[in-house]
């Protein structure tokens, strides 16, 4: 009976610790897991298009926003908040003039996607439990080899920056039909 | 025998007419069919992304280029010419500044996809027989209701303009990984 009581206590205590840690760490093994994404969501390059954008300034990129099937379905239905499992990918390329295209148009006017910059690959993954502390979204940035390449201190700025679009579940990009 | 001879002559003549007309008209019923696309390829908005671009000047749009599975497979494999059945879609949106995004960045730098212009939806469909006269490609432009909205005289400019990229099977857009 003593042993059973100890086990019960241990299990209860462990459950409490896990429940407490889940929003921030999301792992039950006691190890402090990263708050943000550690792996590139597989197959993202085959996802459907949400929209496109261009950023001037230091970024100077042109970008496509893609969504997995859960995200696209929610976008098209106007479903907010996005359901768990939704993943949004933002692929950026350097913004470069196309001499080839410009020759056809007879003037400088055409800009296309060039090489991939260090911020080329970003994701938002919806998991309302795992990422409860950041609106249910986990953020990630990866280099071309699939390695996360932002220090955690910088990642902590993702969620505050997304606050202005809280009423769209913290997602800036609108769907373009 | 006289009747059989007449029929043979008729069939042979008809076959000759069809063979002659095929590159230009592609229909066997004798009616002059349009050289270019008359219907929007179904499901194009679900296709995978090839790349993105921005056109300044009179167009002033931001665009995504999508491909059906046959086109994407060829793009990724570097297969040239594109096989029959490949379809490339070019969706353009008006290029508009995003005040919402700019507030976050603290400067004017963000441009997003706005409304659909009249040239919003264009396609290239590969059918080496039907469109033999234009490099195997049929061209199409449609309004938001799916109606072709370019006069044939303008369509005739499509293929000549694509000549500079003949070595890429007349396709300007490169695949962006």
């Amino acid at each position: 009976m003593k042993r059973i009581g100890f086990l019960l206590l241990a299990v209860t205590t462990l459950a409490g610790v896990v429940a407490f840690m889940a929003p921030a760490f999301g792992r039950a093994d006691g190890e402090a897991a990263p708050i943000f994404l550690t792996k590139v969501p597989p197959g993202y390059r085959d996802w459907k298009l949400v929209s496109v954008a261009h950023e001037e300034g230091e970024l100077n990129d042109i970008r496509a926003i893609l969504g997995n099937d859960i995200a696209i379905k929610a976008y098209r239905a106007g479903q907010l908040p996005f359901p768990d499992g939704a993943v949004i990918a933002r692929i950026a390329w350097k913004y470069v003039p196309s001499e080839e295209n410009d020759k056809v148009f007879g003037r400088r006017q055409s800009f296309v996607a060039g090489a991939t910059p260090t911020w080329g690959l970003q994701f938002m993954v919806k998991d309302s439990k795992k990422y409860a502390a950041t609106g249910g979204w986990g953020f990630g940035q990866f280099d071309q080899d699939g390695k996360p390449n932002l220090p955690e201190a910088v990642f902590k700025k993702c969620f505050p920056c997304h606050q202005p679009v809280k009423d769209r579940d913290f997602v800036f990009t609108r769907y373009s039909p």
Side-chain angles (χ1 to χ4, degrees), chain A:
Chain A
M1 190 63 196
K2 203 173 178 183
R3 184 171 287 176
I4 291 172
F6 172 74
L7 276 171
L8 264 174
L9 178 69
V11 168
T12 312
T13 307
L14 183 64
V17 169
V18 168
F20 173 75
M21 290 173 67
F25 301 100
R27 269 161 67 159
D29 58 8
E31 189 191 333
I35 302 174
F36 298 100
L37 307 188
T38 54
K39 285 182 186 170
V40 172
Y44 73 90
R45 192 57 187 77
D46 287 340
W47 293 351
K48 290 163 189 164
L49 181 76
V50 177
S51 193
V52 292
H54 165 51
E55 297 297 337
E56 289 184 349
E58 285 178 16
L59 292 172
N60 198 32
D61 67 46
I62 187 162
R63 41 183 64 193
I65 295 84
L66 310 181
N68 70 355
D69 285 343
I70 296 172
I72 290 289
K73 194 178 167 189
Y75 258 123
R76 290 176 178 172
Q79 183 187 350
L80 289 173
F82 285 84
D84 279 7
V87 187
I88 298 167
R90 196 278 286 130
I91 314 177
W93 298 275
K94 288 181 181 176
Y95 181 73
V96 295
S98 168
E99 285 185 27
E100 188 171 64
N101 295 2
D102 288 348
K103 273 183 194 167
V104 176
F105 285 114
R107 50 160 288 171
R108 182 181 165 102
Q109 77 162 50
S110 190
F111 296 84
V112 296
T116 303
T118 52
W119 61 91
L121 203 47
Q122 291 189 344
F123 295 93
M124 288 175 69
V125 173
K126 191 66 184 277
D127 184 328
S128 55
K129 285 179 186 159
K130 189 172 181 180
Y131 304 116
T134 48
W137 291 105
F139 297 84
Q141 178 177 300
F142 302 89
D143 64 21
Q144 280 185 296
D145 299 324
K147 288 181 188 167
N149 66 359
L150 264 195
E152 196 165 311
V154 180
F155 268 128
K156 285 181 178 165
K157 295 179 184 173
C158 293
F159 184 57
C161 267
H162 282 249
Q163 285 290 337
V165 284
K166 187 179 177 180
D167 64 344
R168 294 208 306 277
D169 197 22
F170 307 102
V171 174
F172 279 101
T173 304
R174 290 178 166 89
Y175 183 85
S176 294

